[in-house]
Structures are given as structure tokens and as C-alpha cells.
Amino acid sequence: MDLSRLPASFKVVRTDRELEMSMVDEALRQWGAQLVILPDGTPADVLTRELADADVLLMCYAKITRSMLQGATRLKAIVKYGVGIDAIDIDAARERGIAVVNVPAYAEETVAEGAFSLLMGLFKRFKPLQHAMQTQGWAWPESRWLAQDLAGKTLGLVGCGRIGRSMARMAGAFRMQVLAYDPHVPQSHWPAGVQRCDSLAQMLPQCDAVSLHCVLNAQTRSLIGERELALMKNSAFFVNVSRGELVDEAALVAALQGGLIAGAALDVFGQEPLALQGHPMSALFGMDNVLLWPHLTFYTREAMQRLEDETLQRCWEALAGEPLTVSSMDPRLRAQTHGVRFVDPP
């Protein structure tokens, strides 16, 4: 990279310090950036003040509002180092000519592996067995430890994009039957070996496990609620590694407490971080049939290398005055007309 193409001075703000991006931080400093790194939960007025003279914003979870962007007169780009863009006011950014990009493909296989691992943990009763081993040293083959085979079971996917298709392939290797509901995938791109369902009402009653793999937007918020959970078998498991807000979480807690479904594995929550007490979902910590993960199914060495590499590429484009590369097919990003160029995903 030709450092002479960069401005003489420039400022980069990175939110969500808890997600370490050491390669990105070091490279930006070597490029000469004034780098401001803010922790999770930074007050809105502090973030607004830091954005006022920033050239680039790197964010992951922080909510970026219209009011924050109004005073960001130098801001050229918002780079989401991750996939979901629901925390960004895209309309406000577009109105101000601020390009918005994400990193859509860095962890597709990684997240599918994590989801399938959690699914296996439910079927094989990892949590209660591990607890017994830790506290008692052994567990005899009593009925309370009886696990289940995956082979012959039916997995339902809500969303059949790249992560969903990877999940389907893994399930097929374990000889599971796979159903999926995704009205946005045309029949011409439907994966072989996956049975298409026209509605959740058609799919959910057939499933021994249900796994969510869709984006969060106005149409999918609370997609899984009391009605949908009631359609599931009381022997079925539920997995969510996508977004907590896809689910009516109060209804999910009630369904688990009432035995309406057999268990759940969750990596994402509407309110993060989770907490042992005082959180709307704190009651789940005490349930042997619930696996709770701290939004880390994406977090592997390989995925983080890909994430940091591509984040730096987008930063370079913004600072060097080049159009930012948008490889996501999300229509909210594809609607941009300023400061971006579109490429089809690999």
C-alpha cells in the first residue's frame, strides 16, 4: 500500500474495544491515523463528539444513529467489521453521502460450524453431563443422561443463505433430513437435498430441531414468537446464532420454562452482554437443557484473520479516496449511490 495516497492527517474511531482487532489497530497507527478506540456501552454523547472530526468509523455492535451522523461532517465511511448492519441508520448515512460497508463472508462456514456444534451439544446432553463430571467425577448410564442420535432426525432451517446452506450440508453428513423456509431464495438457487417449505407453519411441526440463519430487518424482527414456538414439537430443540431480536425472547423463556420445547442453544441475545442476574434471560442459566454462548460462534483464528484483512482493505479504500467495495447482497447496502462499487459475492 502506498502511504503517500493517504491524507496528511486523519482520524479513525473504532467502537467495541472488547472485540480485539490488534492487526487493524497496529496497521492504522502505522499509516499515521489518530486512532480512538471506544469500549462497549460508550455513551451516545461521547461517540457523537468523537465522530465530529472523524474520517472513518469502524464499528461492530454499537448503535449508530441519525443524530450521531448529523455532526460528522468529515466522515467518509462506516465499516462494519462483521455482517449485520441493523445497528446503523443506513438512510441517514446515505443522505449524508457516507458509504457503509460490511464484511459479509469472513465467517460463514465458521458460524455454521458453531451452530452445528451447539446443535450436537443439545442432542448429546453436553451441559448436564459435563456438570455431573465436574461435580461428581462420573455419571452412570441412567435414563436421565439418555442422549439422542442426529441420524434420522429432521432439521428445519429458517433462512437458507450461505450459513444455512453450510448448516444443511453438515446435517446431511449426519444423515439428517433438512427442511428450510426462505422466501427470498429463488428455486433456481435452492440447494439440492433440502426440502423447501412455503411457510413456518408448514415446517415447524415437522422438525426435531430448528436453527435460525436469517438477517435482522423490519420483516424478520420477532419472526419466532409464541405462535411459532407453539407449533414446534415439545421434543424439539431450538438454535439461534443469528440475532437475538429475531425471536420474542420472553416467549422463548416461557416456552422453555413450560416445557413447550425440549431445549435451546443461543449465541445471540436482544440485550448483550448477557448477565447472571437482572437480565430478561437470566433464568436460562439454571436450565440443563439450555446452552448459552457469548456471541462467539464467529470467533476463530481463521475467521478473525479474514475479518481483519478485509476491514483494513475497506479502510484503505476510504482513506485513499477510492470507492468502497460492497460484496454483500443486502438491498440496504446495494441501494447506495455514492462512494461505493458493487461486486458479486464469490
Side-chain angles (χ1 to χ4, degrees):
M1 295 179 177
D2 181 4
L3 296 184
S4 67
R5 295 185 60 191
L6 299 179
S9 63
F10 58 94
K11 178 180 177 180
V12 178
V13 173
R14 182 168 80 81
T15 67
D16 309 294
R17 181 178 65 198
E18 290 73 14
L19 176 49
E20 297 175 359
M21 300 279 282
S22 56
M23 186 179 80
V24 168
D25 296 343
E26 181 180 353
L28 288 170
R29 290 188 177 107
Q30 288 178 350
W31 294 357
Q34 175 193 349
L35 179 62
V36 176
I37 306 176
L38 301 173
D40 177 68
T42 294
D45 62 326
V46 175
L47 181 50
T48 300
R49 184 170 64 248
E50 293 294 350
L51 288 178
D53 59 347
D55 296 276
V56 175
L57 167 62
L58 306 183
M59 54 76 63
C60 190
Y61 308 121
K63 190 171 182 62
I64 308 302
T65 66
R66 177 178 292 273
S67 61
M68 290 177 181
L69 298 178
Q70 283 175 342
T73 56
R74 289 175 47 182
L75 196 63
K76 301 176 180 67
I78 300 173
V79 180
K80 162 64 187 268
Y81 53 98
V83 182
I85 56 172
D86 44 278
I88 307 168
D89 190 326
I90 303 290
D91 291 337
R94 188 166 61 244
E95 290 167 14
R96 300 191 66 81
I98 301 168
V100 180
V101 295
N102 64 351
V103 184
Y106 79 98
E108 290 170 343
E109 192 79 1
T110 303
V111 171
E113 287 181 3
F116 201 79
S117 298
L118 290 170
L119 180 68
M120 290 188 70
L122 291 172
F123 272 88
K124 303 304 179 183
R125 307 215 54 185
F126 281 1
K127 181 177 179 179
L129 276 169
Q130 180 64 25
H131 179 72
M133 290 296 291
Q134 290 283 78
T135 57
Q136 302 170 38
W138 195 248
W140 293 102
E142 306 166 25
S143 59
R144 60 178 169 151
W145 308 125
L146 204 57
Q148 299 183 57
D149 292 342
L150 281 79
K153 299 297 192 302
T154 298
L155 172 64
L157 302 175
V158 182
C160 202
R162 292 187 174 192
I163 297 176
R165 289 196 295 270
S166 292
M167 188 77 167
R169 190 190 71 250
M170 295 173 194
F174 280 79
R175 294 185 290 118
M176 300 183 79
Q177 179 184 7
V178 182
L179 314 179
Y181 166 71
D182 193 329
H184 304 293
V185 177
Q187 191 60 46
S188 59
H189 288 75
W190 199 258
V194 178
Q195 180 180 330
R196 185 175 195 134
C197 295
D198 294 327
S199 67
L200 289 174
Q202 177 191 358
M203 184 182 77
L204 295 175
Q206 303 181 61
C207 300
D208 299 297
V210 174
S211 189
L212 266 59
H213 301 285
C214 52
V215 298
L216 176 65
N217 55 38
Q219 290 71 45
T220 60
R221 190 175 297 274
S222 298
L223 182 65
I224 303 297
E226 183 177 359
R227 174 179 175 272
E228 289 73 25
L229 292 165
L231 289 171
M232 292 173 60
K233 300 176 183 178
N234 59 15
S235 58
F237 295 119
F238 179 77
V239 177
N240 185 12
V241 299
S242 295
R243 283 293 183 271
E245 295 95 328
L246 294 169
V247 184
D248 180 338
E249 293 179 322
L252 177 59
V253 172
L256 289 163
Q257 291 174 328
L260 296 182
I261 60 174
L266 308 172
D267 183 49
V268 289
F269 310 90
Q271 177 184 322
E272 296 182 359
L274 205 58
L276 290 170
Q277 296 179 344
H279 188 281
M281 305 186 79
S282 294
L284 300 184
F285 280 102
M287 298 184 184
D288 278 347
N289 60 339
V290 177
L291 291 170
L292 300 173
W293 215 242
H295 203 150
L296 286 182
T297 51
F298 74 93
Y299 197 58
T300 66
R301 288 185 178 88
E302 297 82 358
M304 287 302 297
Q305 181 69 51
R306 293 189 290 268
L307 177 63
E308 295 206 65
D309 285 345
E310 189 162 344
T311 298
L312 276 176
Q313 290 172 12
R314 302 291 81 79
C315 286
W316 175 263
E317 291 169 350
L319 293 166
E322 297 181 0
L324 273 71
T325 302
V326 175
S327 55
S328 169
M329 296 305 293
D330 191 305
R332 293 169 292 180
L333 296 181
R334 291 270 163 168
Q336 297 179 97
T337 58
H338 177 79
V340 296
R341 70 180 186 94
F342 302 112
V343 299
D344 291 334

